[in-house]
Amino acid sequence: MKLEYAGHTLELISIEEARKHVANGMVCYDFTKFTAINTCPTFGVLRYALHRTESSSSRSMAIDAGKACHDYFAALRVWSLRTQHKDRSELITKIGLHATRLFGSVRYAEMLSAAQDAPDPFSNAINFCLPALHTSGFYDSPTDRRRTMANLEQSCLSYTSRYLMSEMPVILEGDLVGVELPFCILFRETKSQRPRFIYTGRIDGLHRYNNIPHIAENKTAFRLDDVWRMMFHTSNQVTGYMVAATLMLKKEVTDGFVMGTQIPQPKSMTDGVAFEQVSRNASDFERWAEWSLHSIDLYEKFITRPTEAPRYTHSCNRYFHACQFIPFCTMPREEQADMIEAMAVEEWSPLDHVGEVADNSTGDV
Ligand code: SF4
């Protein structure tokens, strides 16, 4: 199946094919890279095109906590698939192979060894999934009292409760197991069929709800309020996942859920979990492709002249953190070229990231 948006033809290719294209000089993008150039062109070009960094290698607790919970969320999808298909040995094998790719054989074996004889699904689910959280590599920091393993556990239990109340089975269709699905979309110019670029990402889950396919995107956040909910009704990240899901399932996917989990859980009576239903239409897909092309134009315009890239100074303090490039941006142009040369290089490749668990924190956990 191929799609046509913004004068380009889109088709799914394998990660191996994408790597070959990149080896031949094609550029690969993802939502993070596109967002960076639109947040601030100077930041995007320095960090994601020239791979420069000024940041210390200090740990990001928000990202670590998001990744650890993400392992748990994937485990819960695997558990629900195993429960749903427990009488079909060939499907259990297929699910097992997929889970082994996600978690590795040792971690998956630990999940499989968990007791499953409780009378209620909730206990069986958390017995299976907690080892995924505990072996995620997350550890407490003495300077962060919000993001602790105890708080992560509490949030994951609340999420499990809500998830089990929702009637949305994970899709298992042919070779497709709807848990943690990486994708690479090749964009070709429709007129010339010239390959232009690759867009890559990773869908957290593919579900059916009311028998309609839905993408699912997990998020962890400090607060799940109306502002949090509303941003996903336009998010290009969600739209891109629906395009990818359409190509994967070979049928239009225009619906999804953004599944938010609060860390730590609120002290009020609410459970700190929000499943926000979102939908898109053909116009949204066209605009998503236009945004992609606009982002690439910005990268291509300034990659060879980064000191001329605009400075979007409203972004210097985004997510309440000072941008790592503030010292660079305070210097006159004549000195900036030398500063870029002196910066550390930390290669950042979307294709490498798509093979890992994605950063699913909304940045303010
Ligand atoms: S300091 Fe501000 S203007 Fe400079 S790169 Fe960062 S966000 Fe952009």
Side-chain angles (χ1 to χ4, degrees):
M1 182 184 192
K2 292 182 181 177
L3 297 172
E4 298 260 354
Y5 296 121
H8 286 71
T9 308
L10 285 59
E11 63 181 295
L12 269 189
I13 58 172
S14 67
I15 293 182
E16 291 68 36
E17 285 175 89
R19 287 194 201 287
K20 279 185 203 158
H21 279 294
V22 170
N24 289 327
M26 188 176 291
V27 183
C28 188
Y29 297 90
D30 66 0
F31 177 72
T32 301
K33 194 167 173 177
F34 282 162
T35 301
I37 197 81
N38 288 294
T39 300
C40 172
T42 299
F43 173 79
V45 168
L46 286 178
R47 182 66 198 98
Y48 292 102
L50 300 175
H51 308 285
R52 297 302 204 271
T53 180
E54 289 277 44
S55 75
S56 65
S57 55
S58 66
R59 181 181 177 204
S60 165
M61 288 297 286
I63 290 175
D64 283 5
K67 281 182 174 174
C69 289
H70 205 73
D71 282 8
Y72 183 97
F73 303 147
L76 186 54
R77 289 194 173 91
V78 170
W79 178 86
S80 66
L81 272 173
R82 284 177 51 83
T83 306
Q84 190 186 338
H85 301 291
K86 61 180 185 304
D87 299 326
R88 302 271 309 273
S89 63
E90 77 284 9
L91 296 185
I92 293 295
T93 302
K94 188 183 290 183
I95 297 161
L97 287 171
H98 189 76
T100 304
R101 277 196 292 274
L102 290 179
F103 294 102
S105 54
V106 174
R107 291 178 75 197
Y108 188 49
E110 193 172 336
M111 291 152 66
L112 287 175
S113 67
Q116 289 293 293
D117 51 3
D120 60 296
F122 178 81
S123 301
N124 288 328
I126 64 171
N127 286 347
F128 183 90
C129 300
L130 279 173
L133 179 69
H134 294 155
T135 58
S136 65
F138 181 86
Y139 55 94
D140 288 359
S141 162
T143 59
D144 193 329
R145 294 175 60 191
R146 282 201 329 230
R147 306 171 191 99
T148 62
M149 180 57 90
N151 284 344
L152 265 54
E153 280 176 6
Q154 193 56 52
S155 296
C156 287
L157 298 194
S158 295
Y159 173 84
T160 305
S161 217
R162 175 69 69 90
Y163 183 93
L164 295 180
M165 281 191 283
S166 314
E167 290 285 325
M168 47 172 81
V170 177
I171 292 178
L172 180 58
E173 216 172 84
D175 289 335
L176 188 148
V177 181
V179 186
E180 297 284 330
L181 294 160
F183 62 83
C184 298
I185 301 174
L186 177 65
F187 277 64
R188 292 177 187 274
E189 284 173 2
T190 302
K191 268 192 191 153
S192 64
Q193 282 302 295
R194 179 176 76 92
R196 176 95 193 269
F197 68 95
I198 294 163
Y199 182 77
T200 188
R202 190 173 168 113
I203 303 173
D204 291 345
L206 275 179
H207 296 255
R208 282 192 198 288
Y209 180 66
N210 289 336
N211 212 26
I212 295 168
H214 283 61
I215 64 107
E217 167 67 2
N218 285 104
K219 296 287 185 195
T220 50
F222 178 53
R223 169 176 325 104
L224 301 176
D225 52 15
D226 284 348
V227 176
W228 179 89
R229 288 170 181 274
M230 291 310 292
M231 70 178 164
F232 298 109
H233 290 275
T234 53
S235 161
N236 281 318
Q237 183 182 31
V238 170
T239 313
Y241 290 162
M242 289 182 192
V243 172
T246 297
L247 290 165
M248 283 178 191
L249 293 174
K250 299 182 177 59
K251 62 181 81 145
E252 199 172 56
V253 179
T254 56
D255 297 282
F257 282 98
V258 178
M259 300 170 158
T261 309
Q262 200 167 324
I263 304 174
Q265 285 287 284
K267 292 188 172 55
S268 58
M269 293 301 283
T270 62
D271 64 0
V273 177
F275 286 6
E276 183 71 2
Q277 194 165 12
V278 291
S279 62
R280 298 290 189 271
N281 56 39
S283 167
D284 295 320
F285 293 146
E286 186 76 18
R287 284 163 184 264
W288 164 81
E290 288 168 3
W291 172 77
S292 303
L293 295 165
H294 163 74
S295 307
I296 289 170
D297 285 347
L298 278 175
Y299 272 113
E300 290 179 346
K301 188 169 178 189
F302 294 111
I303 186 168
T304 55
R305 41 194 185 102
T307 60
E308 291 171 37
R311 299 188 305 189
Y312 290 0
T313 57
H314 58 269
S315 300
C316 298
N317 193 25
R318 61 191 174 282
Y319 301 133
F320 313 108
H321 292 293
C323 173
Q324 58 177 297
F325 296 119
I326 285 179
F328 169 86
C329 286
T330 56
M331 298 303 280
R333 273 207 176 109
E334 310 81 68
E335 294 181 37
Q336 286 184 325
D338 288 341
M339 285 186 82
I340 293 173
E341 286 308 309
M343 284 179 196
V345 174
E346 195 177 283
E347 197 74 29
W348 191 91
S349 155
L351 269 184
D352 291 344
H353 281 254
V354 83
E356 300 170 356
V357 172
D359 165 16
N360 277 275
S361 155
T362 41
D364 62 346
V365 181

